[in-house]
Amino acid sequence: MTATWDPTAPGVLRLPSGRLIRGRGLRHPLPEGPTPAFALYLLGKEPPAVAWETRWLRWPDFRLPTDREATSAALREALERSREERVEVACGGGQGRTGTALACMAVLDGVPSGEAVAYVREHYARRAVETPWQKRFVRRFG
């Protein structure tokens, strides 16, 4: 079993189940400390290679993912892997797409879809989920 994140570290979201997922912006330096075992990258173009396992979802900035089925499957995989592995979810800035993905993962973890954006804003970043269509995506996710 791989260790999980430090729950007090910046950007680490604790879900109701106790699972920990780190959100971050790829335009910022890699945080100090352990690296992820698995990362889900939400970008309009393929991310640069890293030393850990990754999945890439084509998800343009300020928009929604281009493949909703693949997005649902990837978010479910990331949530499941967070049970025993350090999982990171990241986009360019770490707010809109990352916040949206984390809110969807919160829904999968039992947070009602109408409360998931508020949950992520309270426990991850107050500006998470930036656009009305991202909020609507979370409300309809499940």
Side-chain angles (χ1 to χ4, degrees), residues 89-110:
V89 176
C91 63
Q95 301 290 316
R97 294 168 285 181
T98 297
T100 302
L102 292 174
C104 290
M105 293 171 79
V107 170
L108 294 173
D109 200 58

Side-chain angles (χ1 to χ4, degrees), residues 59-124:
W59 191 331
D61 201 7
F62 295 106
R63 301 195 190 233
L64 297 176
T66 59
D67 185 333
R68 292 176 190 230
E69 281 187 33
T71 299
S72 180
L75 294 173
R76 290 172 194 280
E77 176 186 6
L79 181 63
E80 181 58 33
R81 292 181 74 157
S82 71
R83 180 187 311 257
E84 296 184 1
E85 298 177 69
R86 285 188 302 273
V87 171
E88 172 177 87
V89 176
C91 63
Q95 301 290 316
R97 294 168 285 181
T98 297
T100 302
L102 292 174
C104 290
M105 293 171 79
V107 170
L108 294 173
D109 200 58
V111 175
S113 61
E115 300 171 18
V117 171
Y119 182 88
V120 169
R121 286 178 173 171
E122 179 181 347
H123 298 285
Y124 168 67

Side-chain angles (χ1 to χ4, degrees), residues 5-6 8-12 22 24 28-36 52 86 88:
W5 299 112
D6 173 356
T8 64
V12 174
R22 181 172 76 186
R24 78 175 179 105
H28 308 293
L30 184 67
E32 290 186 24
T35 58
W52 47 87
R86 285 188 302 273
E88 172 177 87

Side-chain angles (χ1 to χ4, degrees), residues 47-62:
V50 290
W52 47 87
E53 186 180 354
T54 66
R55 296 278 181 282
W56 167 50
L57 291 175
R58 186 177 300 275
W59 191 331
D61 201 7
F62 295 106

Side-chain angles (χ1 to χ4, degrees), residues 119-138:
Y119 182 88
V120 169
R121 286 178 173 171
E122 179 181 347
H123 298 285
Y124 168 67
R126 66 180 177 82
R127 296 183 330 152
V129 190
E130 295 174 316
T131 68
W133 42 93
Q134 289 172 341
K135 291 176 193 170
R136 187 171 49 248
F137 184 82
V138 173

